[in-house]
Every structure is written in C-alpha cells, then in structure tokens.
Amino acid sequence: MDIPTLDGITAKTVTSDRLTTRVLFSGPEDGIPVMFVHGNVSSATYWEDLMMALPAGYRGIAADNRGYGGADPSKKIDATRGVRDLSDDLAALMDALGIETAHVVGHSLGGSVLWQFMIDYPERIRTVTQAAPGSPYGFGGSKGENGEINYPDGAGSGAGIVNPEMVKNIIAQDRSADSPTSMRNVINSLYWKPPFKPAREEELLSSALSIHTGENAYPGDAQPSENWPMAAPGKFGPNNALAPNYQGDVSQLYAIDPKPPVLWIRGAEDLIVSDNSMVDMGALGQMGAVPGWPGADVFPPQPMVSQTRAVLEQYQASGGDYEEVVLPETGHSPYLEKPDEFNQHFHAHIQRYDA
C-alpha cells in the first residue's frame, strides 16, 4: 500500500511479537505517546490530521490494524476472541516501541478495541478518548441498555449482514461514484454528514480500499442460521469480531484498576453508531428494508449510544470518570468533520492528566 502522507508524518514498518505492519509517527521521538486505533474499512491514514495537531511535546503513533492496509496479510483476525487480537496487537506494538504507558484514542471499531484494551491492559493507559466508538456489547444482534443478545448464535451480526455489492466494489478497487455501494459513495454518505467532504478525500478513499479481503479477512465468513435474518457470524474477520456472542464480560470494565479517565466524543447525526443505525439489521428490519423482521420484542434496533452511556455511567459509579461530548451537525467522524471542536476537548483531556 502506498498512500501519500502529510508533511510531518513519517511512515515506518514495525515488527512486534505479533504483527508486522505500517506505523505512522508525528512529533518528537521523546514526546508523550498517543496511540491511535482506526475504525473498520479504513487505516492509520485517517488519523494524520489529528496527529499533526497534537500539542507540543506529544508523539502521535497510528498503526494499520491486523487485516488492514500495510499489515501482514497472512495474519488474520480470530473473531472467536472478539477484538482481543487487535487489543493484544496494540500492547505488542507498545512493547516493540518501548512504550510503557500512553494516551489511547479509538474510532468506531477502534473504539471497540479500546473497551477490550481497558479490560486487559488498564495499567498501560494514561487516558482514553473514544470518537464515535462501537458499543461495548458489539455491533448488531443485541438489545436493551444491558446488551442482551437477541439469539445465542449472534444471528443478525457479523459478516453475513455486510452488503455483498460493496465487498465486490472494494475487491475491484472501484474509485467511481457510479454505484450506491462504491466506497466513494459509502464514505461520503455514512462516514461523515453530507455535504461535508474532507480535503484528503482521495487518500481516505485509498485507505478504505486498502482493507484485506477474503473469506478469512473482510468481510469474513458467515454461518447459516434458523434465526432472522438467517445468517450468523463465522470465525474470522473484523465484522465477526464485533458479533455480540464473541464479546467478553463487559462488567469487567467496572473492576479494572487503575481506571483511566474516558472522553467520549460523538456526532449528533451519526448514521453508523446510533440508537437507530442505518447499517443495523434491527433498524433496517423495522423500516421494512429487510423482509421477515420478527418485531421489536425479538430484534429491535440496537441502542448503541444508550448502551455505551449505561456502561460509562456504571464505570463512573464504580470509581471511574467520563465525559460525553456531542457535536451538532456532525456524523460518524467528528475528528475529521469538526477538528477544532474535537481538539479543544481532546487536548484538554490529555493535558489535564499530564499536568
């Protein structure tokens, strides 16, 4: 993968005990480390502007996750571990770079990784910043603020619900706007709120198209199910890793020690992570877009934002601390759409800790 980087960003290949991948760096080598974890169908490229805007004295570090961009394509995501492969990869990268503790920042799927990283490696975290993170209970197939799973096999989540035409367009490296499911149209309709378009649209499109594809990569494998919508998650790939039946015990978050402070920033008009997500089977079924919907008592729209808030409220009640910031007229990428507002809160968050 050869995506141009901004002036001031350095790209290197780094090998840890778990993964060889492309890693982007900004700032002084001896700066306070800030580790960025990107979302699904993207790569470290999405973080470059945010990295360049870090306050003086901070070192930005963003890797291509396993299954994405410049990561070793032979290394697959074992979805039966949830997102633990990606959480463990982050810890191994910190080891390889000689980093004991860091501020961590996640977006979307990267936010899901950070919920797990908080459980597994709390002592390595200075602060957590979550930009439109996935629910701690996974993506799809659960209901209620407590994340009750709809079906034991996770039906209605994972690779089986990914639009196959979009996958074909990714495999074909389609850069056009000819199809509603071309990645150019997908990112410009779902990743941010129209009519916003980022200055580096071409680089971000290249980043999205750099995801590794195949049955054991993206979107992953699927299993037939007797439960609506007749598809359950398989065992490989990022989408299956987010299935609710592969998530761990979320209540472990309440017992971690230390409890890093959490900043949660989201867009008020996010169409991907919301209580009525336009890519959630419950919401689509309720709209009549997917036939056979079994009803709101069985498979309602997943209340992703409400689930996250309920978890963070319990985290706070257990001795942690969090702040929720909602940016108006903003979609799924608040750090790209409203960088000044985002950085105002983000910089204050990390500097407060380091002071």
Side-chain angles (χ1 to χ4, degrees):
M1 183 184 65
D2 186 19
I3 301 175
T5 57
L6 290 173
D7 289 342
I9 298 288
T10 301
K12 299 179 181 179
T13 298
V14 177
T15 299
S16 73
D17 288 343
R18 290 180 52 83
L19 181 69
T20 296
T21 191
R22 181 188 73 140
V23 183
L24 304 182
F25 296 89
S26 69
E29 291 189 8
D30 61 350
I32 298 170
V34 184
M35 311 291 296
F36 295 88
V37 187
H38 67 79
N40 204 358
V41 200
S42 62
S43 76
T45 297
Y46 273 67
W47 292 120
E48 291 186 32
D49 288 289
L50 201 63
M51 293 168 67
M52 290 297 297
L54 283 169
Y58 286 88
R59 176 73 157 165
I61 304 167
D64 290 344
N65 291 341
R66 178 184 298 241
Y68 300 80
D72 179 354
S74 71
K75 298 291 187 178
K76 308 301 183 184
I77 296 172
D78 178 356
T80 65
R81 302 186 69 227
V83 292
R84 291 172 187 83
D85 268 353
L86 302 180
S87 174
D88 291 344
D89 288 346
L90 178 59
L93 175 62
M94 291 174 66
D95 289 342
L97 297 175
I99 296 171
E100 248 183 76
T101 65
H103 299 282
V104 293
V105 185
H107 174 229
S108 197
L109 175 142
S112 299
V113 174
L114 291 191
W115 299 130
Q116 189 64 50
F117 193 76
M118 289 172 67
I119 291 171
D120 294 339
Y121 304 100
E123 73 286 351
R124 308 201 67 171
I125 303 172
R126 291 173 177 244
T127 67
V128 178
T129 299
Q130 293 279 39
S135 164
Y137 295 104
F139 194 96
S142 72
K143 58 189 173 186
E145 292 185 357
N146 65 348
E148 178 187 354
I149 192 168
N150 295 336
Y151 301 115
D153 65 356
S157 67
I161 66 168
V162 177
N163 188 311
E165 293 304 313
M166 186 180 79
V167 176
K168 289 178 184 177
N169 288 330
I170 292 174
I171 293 171
Q173 294 291 286
D174 180 8
R175 302 184 69 90
S176 77
D178 297 339
S179 164
T181 57
S182 73
M183 279 312 300
R184 186 180 299 277
N185 285 330
V186 169
I187 64 176
N188 281 322
S189 60
L190 291 177
Y191 281 32
W192 34 80
K193 175 180 167 56
F196 172 82
K197 283 195 177 186
R200 301 182 73 222
E201 179 184 347
E202 295 308 315
E203 288 85 352
L204 298 182
L205 175 59
S206 295
S207 171
L209 291 171
S210 72
I211 190 170
H212 304 175
T213 55
E215 186 178 28
N216 292 338
Y218 179 84
D221 54 331
Q223 305 292 330
S225 174
E226 296 180 352
N227 302 308
W228 186 87
M230 312 310 167
K235 297 181 178 181
F236 294 96
N239 293 69
N240 289 326
L242 293 171
N245 51 317
Y246 294 144
Q247 304 313 300
D249 180 3
V250 173
S251 69
Q252 291 179 355
L253 273 171
Y254 314 142
I256 64 174
D257 183 29
K259 289 184 172 65
V262 178
L263 172 63
W264 173 26
I265 307 182
R266 62 183 183 86
E269 299 188 48
D270 190 338
L271 296 181
I272 294 179
V273 175
S274 79
D275 284 359
N276 196 41
S277 167
M278 291 298 96
V279 288
D280 171 63
M281 293 303 291
L284 293 172
Q286 189 174 64
M287 291 166 52
V290 180
W293 182 58
D297 55 331
V298 177
F299 207 120
Q302 181 188 356
M304 304 176 190
V305 170
S306 297
Q307 288 175 348
T308 297
R309 186 179 298 113
V311 167
L312 286 172
E313 287 179 352
Q314 185 59 51
Y315 181 74
Q316 184 165 268
S318 303
D321 180 65
Y322 90 95
E323 177 186 6
E324 178 183 358
V325 175
V326 183
L327 299 183
E329 295 297 316
T330 306
H332 187 56
S333 303
Y335 61 98
L336 291 172
E337 298 170 73
K338 300 285 180 66
D340 292 342
E341 293 93 329
F342 187 96
N343 283 330
Q344 177 185 350
H345 296 281
F346 170 43
H347 293 175
H349 179 57
I350 61 176
Q351 290 178 313
R352 187 181 306 120
Y353 175 93
D354 294 319

